[in-house]
Amino acid sequence: MSNVAREVIWPKTDNVLVRVAFLYVGQGESTLVLVKDGSTYKTLVLDINRDEQNGGIDVPRLMADVLEEEDGKLGVFVNTHPHNDHLRDVVELSDAVDIHEVWHSGHKPGKKHDYAYKDLQKVIKKVKNKHGNDAETELASSRSATTIGDAEYYVFAPAEYVKDDIDDESDEDRYRRIHEQCAVLKFGKDSTWVMLTGDADRDAWEKRITNYHKKRLPSNVLAAAHHGSRTFFRYDRKDDPYKEALDTIDPGYVILSAPTSKESPHDHPHDDAVELYEEKVGADNVLHTGKNRECFICDIYTDGDYDLRTDTRLVDEYGLDGDDGDDDNDSNSKASKGLTQAVVTGTQVDNRPMGRTS
């Protein structure tokens, strides 16, 4: 029986240093990171969501297939912040695979808003009972890179003092500032990096991250903050945009994780934010998972090169059944799918069917 997730996601050669799979999960986010670790790969899942209405991927089922030959071992589950669309199905994920570590932002939303947080705590307790107290890590920003397998990662947020500041506030204020305490990380090595931003907002970038980490922020591929929301740039649509963070990161490509703005309950991605991303990297280099319901896979190679490709098989195989209300645009239809891939290498888009050997 074919294992589509394993075929698409697990590297077939040993020259892939880091593989990042930006999964289509509807209104939410879930990103799979594989890091070369000797002769195998360490696996991380950053955030998770279940969106049947918009045909998002069933992440627990997909991960069970990805890790079928690894005895179901998931190295790390990372939660950037405890919001539903970044935690929905996390308990199911822990049932489907054996999570060995949990990294999280340390945000405590308060009793009134702790529905997603409760699920995270259940998983943390389960993982610690099985793998020990060291299996939980509360992320904090650092000036130094940390080695992970044969690669490295940085944590740019949250800062310890922001956590302390927010923890002293009322439940309502604490919840309001959840995106200011969101975890921001990047993976790669030397001069080739992929940055994952969760829902970090303008306050996080302007007041905490950009100036402090200025020399460490440049990245080749950027996951757009907050599903392409304007909150990365503005407090209000009428505000002048804050663009220093994007200019400092200076990406070649931007990934938007969201359904279409018509499908999103929050109108993500916001058109004015998309315009700013396109102004920076060009319209062809802004890749939107929800536009055609597809995933994007980025490989960083051991020689420092990298490429991006589009995958449609994962949504076809693992997409949840939901009523999208438009049969003409049902990209969940098996008849409309194949493994067409637009490969991006360096700064050039190459429409070869497969691109580099995966």
Side-chain angles (χ1 to χ4, degrees):
M1 185 175 178
S2 177
N3 182 335
V4 173
R6 185 78 180 189
E7 290 174 9
V8 172
I9 291 174
W10 202 264
K12 297 177 178 65
T13 61
D14 62 2
N15 65 336
V16 177
L17 178 67
V18 177
R19 174 166 290 179
V20 182
F22 300 91
L23 303 176
Y24 171 69
V25 290
Q27 178 59 47
E29 194 157 2
S30 189
T31 306
L32 174 58
V33 179
L34 280 73
V35 180
K36 184 175 173 58
D37 188 10
S39 60
T40 187
Y41 285 86
K42 186 179 181 71
T43 54
L44 303 89
V45 171
L46 282 80
D47 294 332
I48 187 171
N49 185 50
R50 181 182 183 87
D51 185 352
E52 294 185 18
Q53 179 66 30
N54 291 310
I57 282 175
D58 184 341
V59 178
R61 187 165 74 89
L62 176 140
M63 289 308 304
D65 280 1
V66 170
L67 300 172
E68 183 180 47
E69 297 178 31
E70 319 306 313
D71 296 324
K73 176 184 176 180
L74 174 61
V76 187
F77 174 73
V78 185
N79 179 235
T80 60
H81 64 293
H83 265 165
N84 262 4
D85 61 343
H86 292 253
L87 274 175
R88 193 178 286 113
D89 253 12
V90 68
V91 173
E92 289 75 8
L93 178 67
S94 73
D95 291 338
V97 298
D98 180 13
I99 301 173
H100 280 234
E101 296 180 50
V102 177
W103 303 352
H104 61 95
S105 68
H107 186 89
K108 299 177 180 63
K111 291 182 180 180
K112 186 176 179 179
H113 301 287
D114 68 351
Y115 29 86
Y117 182 74
K118 285 180 179 177
D119 280 347
L120 178 62
Q121 291 305 303
K122 288 179 185 176
V123 172
I124 290 173
K125 182 178 180 180
K126 178 179 179 180
V127 172
K128 288 170 70 174
N129 284 342
K130 187 169 185 179
H131 299 292
N133 289 334
D134 291 343
E136 178 188 11
T137 297
E138 194 170 306
L139 295 167
S141 65
S142 172
R143 292 179 181 269
S144 303
T146 301
T147 298
I148 180 168
D150 299 344
E152 295 177 333
Y153 71 94
Y154 279 96
V155 178
F156 298 123
E160 287 284 5
Y161 71 89
V162 178
K163 297 181 188 180
D164 294 340
D165 184 24
I166 291 174
D167 283 347
D168 288 338
E169 293 186 338
S170 67
D171 284 2
E172 292 300 325
D173 287 340
R174 192 187 309 168
Y175 185 76
R176 177 180 54 80
R177 295 181 63 187
I178 192 169
H179 291 163
E180 191 178 339
Q181 195 182 339
C182 183
V184 176
L185 308 92
K186 76 173 186 179
F187 292 84
K189 197 170 185 179
D190 298 329
S191 60
T192 313
W193 299 91
V194 175
M195 184 179 289
L196 306 171
T197 60
D199 287 359
D201 61 10
R202 176 173 174 168
D203 272 345
W205 292 97
E206 188 173 14
K207 298 178 181 179
R208 321 291 185 190
I209 301 171
T210 305
N211 290 333
Y212 186 76
H213 291 288
K214 207 171 189 71
K215 293 181 180 179
R216 295 175 285 278
L217 289 182
S219 301
N220 306 81
V221 180
L222 170 68
H226 201 183
H227 321 291
S229 167
R230 67 176 61 94
T231 58
F232 179 55
F233 300 103
R234 295 180 164 103
Y235 299 111
D236 184 88
R237 184 167 189 146
K238 297 178 181 178
D239 293 337
D240 290 334
Y242 166 74
K243 297 192 285 185
E244 187 179 354
L246 182 59
D247 288 340
T248 303
I249 298 167
D250 196 25
Y253 304 94
V254 174
I255 312 292
L256 304 174
S257 179
T260 64
S261 57
K262 290 182 180 179
E263 294 170 323
S264 167
H266 310 292
D267 301 321
H268 294 155
H270 292 148
D271 55 359
D272 53 316
V274 173
E275 287 174 6
L276 290 167
Y277 286 124
E278 291 180 345
E279 177 185 290
K280 178 65 180 176
V281 304
D284 290 342
N285 294 346
V286 176
L287 307 177
H288 177 194
T289 61
K291 184 177 181 180
N292 298 307
R293 294 192 178 182
E294 57 197 5
C295 303
F296 301 104
I297 299 176
C298 177
D299 282 342
I300 298 174
Y301 295 95
T302 52
D303 63 4
D305 198 4
Y306 74 102
D307 66 29
L308 272 166
R309 62 187 180 278
T310 302
D311 173 76
T312 57
R313 292 181 69 194
L314 295 176
V315 177
D316 184 29
E317 182 70 19
Y318 299 96
L320 294 158
D321 292 331
D323 180 12
D324 62 17
D326 188 350
D327 292 338
D328 291 336
N329 291 316
D330 184 10
S331 64
N332 225 13
S333 167
K334 292 183 183 295
S336 69
K337 289 187 174 290
L339 189 60
T340 41
Q341 297 177 327
V343 177
V344 179
T345 304
T347 59
Q348 180 179 1
V349 176
D350 183 356
N351 290 320
R352 293 190 299 260
M354 286 295 292
R356 294 184 65 157
T357 303
S358 59

